[in-house]
Amino acid sequence: MDPRQNIIEKRLANINRLIAVASGKGGVGKSLIATTLALSLSKKGRKVGLLDLDFQGPSAHVILGLKNAYPKEEKGIVPPEVHGIRFMSIVYYVKDEPSPLRGTDVSNAIIELLAITQWKKLDFLVVDMPPGIGDQTLDLIRFMKGSEFLVTTTPSKVALETVKKLLKLLKELKIPIMGLIENMKMFPSSLAREQAKELSVPFLGEISFDRYLEEAIGNPNKLLETKFARDLNVILSKTNLL
């Protein structure tokens, strides 16, 4: 047993809910959903943390327009507060360079980050998960006990096929699944809804493709005013988050 597991449990002990935003593959808007969710919860007056653990393509810092905000060392690492949320990302350590880490090195880096980060008391910690069902995702399921998964896909048959594998894995491991969100919806299609029904997973709703969303990247206030954010908040209002 990795001794860091006990440390991680202590680091997460004062967090009321862990929301893991996951997807079967990259490029489906997972990071945007995770970041917008964290910002929306903060706007509602909740104490929120956002943890970007997407080694392949950390992007929450870009969405937030992060500048000159760095973690501090204080018996571990204390995340900076940006736009009302406590933010930690693997990008602080790999910067904007390609990560040279592979395999078990990636898993160790993620576990180490969980062990050293001091979140203190939070209502919610939103985690931007690595895409897919690789070792990193399995490690996070193992170490972040009590996580609830919010899964996102697009209408693409390729995305739906990969998210199906993720949902099956979560169900086999008896991990709580909040539901499935279909992002970037452009044309009528019931494939995502049907897949959720087939797997007995709640289908939370659709987010229409927002052609103006790109203009809001880097500006959280503008992001929360987009149709994307409005659609997401309507979906989340059906849950017990917002």
Side-chain angles (χ1 to χ4, degrees):
M1 176 178 173
D2 192 322
R4 291 174 294 184
Q5 182 168 347
N6 290 331
I7 299 173
I8 293 171
E9 289 177 0
K10 291 178 182 178
R11 296 297 195 200
L12 302 178
N14 292 317
I15 297 172
N16 188 32
R17 293 181 66 181
L18 289 167
I19 309 298
V21 182
S23 64
K25 63 185 295 295
V28 301
K30 169 179 58 65
S31 296
L32 267 166
I33 287 176
T35 305
T36 305
L37 169 60
L39 290 167
S40 297
L41 288 169
S42 175
K43 195 172 182 181
K44 293 284 186 179
R46 311 294 179 84
K47 291 182 180 178
V48 183
L50 175 62
L51 175 59
D52 187 348
L53 286 180
D54 188 343
F55 252 85
Q56 284 70 39
S59 57
H61 64 294
V62 177
I63 299 168
L64 289 169
L66 192 65
K67 294 179 181 178
N68 302 317
Y70 302 98
K72 298 178 181 178
E73 291 189 21
E74 184 182 319
K75 297 180 180 179
I77 299 296
V78 178
E81 185 166 311
V82 292
H83 304 292
I85 61 179
R86 297 174 197 167
F87 178 68
M88 179 57 72
S89 171
I90 199 69
V91 80
Y92 283 126
Y93 300 95
V94 300
K95 300 189 177 177
D96 287 323
E97 301 298 323
S99 170
L101 301 178
R102 296 293 183 270
T104 57
D105 290 336
V106 175
S107 293
N108 276 322
I110 289 177
I111 294 167
E112 187 69 18
L113 190 59
L114 290 175
I116 64 174
T117 304
Q118 293 206 61
W119 294 103
K120 301 181 180 178
K121 186 174 178 57
L122 291 176
D123 296 314
F124 295 92
L125 176 58
V126 180
V127 183
D128 185 0
M129 295 284 287
I133 55 175
D135 290 343
Q136 298 94 53
T137 299
L138 294 172
D139 282 331
L140 289 167
I141 289 172
R142 181 161 58 99
F143 283 97
M144 298 185 68
K145 292 181 172 61
S147 297
E148 306 167 62
F149 273 68
L150 185 64
V151 181
T152 183
T153 185
T154 63
S156 160
K157 292 180 180 179
V158 174
L160 286 166
E161 184 61 30
T162 55
V163 84
K164 182 177 182 179
K165 295 175 183 176
L166 173 62
L167 291 170
K168 283 185 174 181
L169 173 69
L170 295 174
K171 289 183 73 68
E172 287 174 8
L173 295 176
K174 295 181 170 52
I175 305 297
I177 302 172
M178 296 179 62
L180 179 66
I181 294 176
E182 186 179 18
N183 192 23
M184 304 184 198
K185 191 69 174 278
M186 297 179 68
F187 305 104
S189 169
S190 61
L191 290 177
R193 187 184 297 272
E194 290 170 2
Q195 184 162 284
K197 183 178 180 180
E198 177 186 334
L199 296 172
S200 299
V201 170
F203 181 75
L204 297 179
E206 307 165 350
I207 299 176
S208 301
F209 180 79
D210 186 348
R211 61 187 297 186
Y212 301 107
L213 179 60
E214 186 67 23
E215 299 173 9
I217 301 298
N219 185 334
N221 290 328
K222 191 172 183 179
L223 175 62
L224 290 176
E225 294 174 355
T226 61
K227 186 178 187 306
F228 168 86
R230 292 197 299 272
D231 283 355
L232 178 61
N233 285 337
V234 168
I235 290 170
L236 296 173
S237 68
K238 301 173 185 177
T239 71
N240 57 352
L241 284 179
L242 298 181

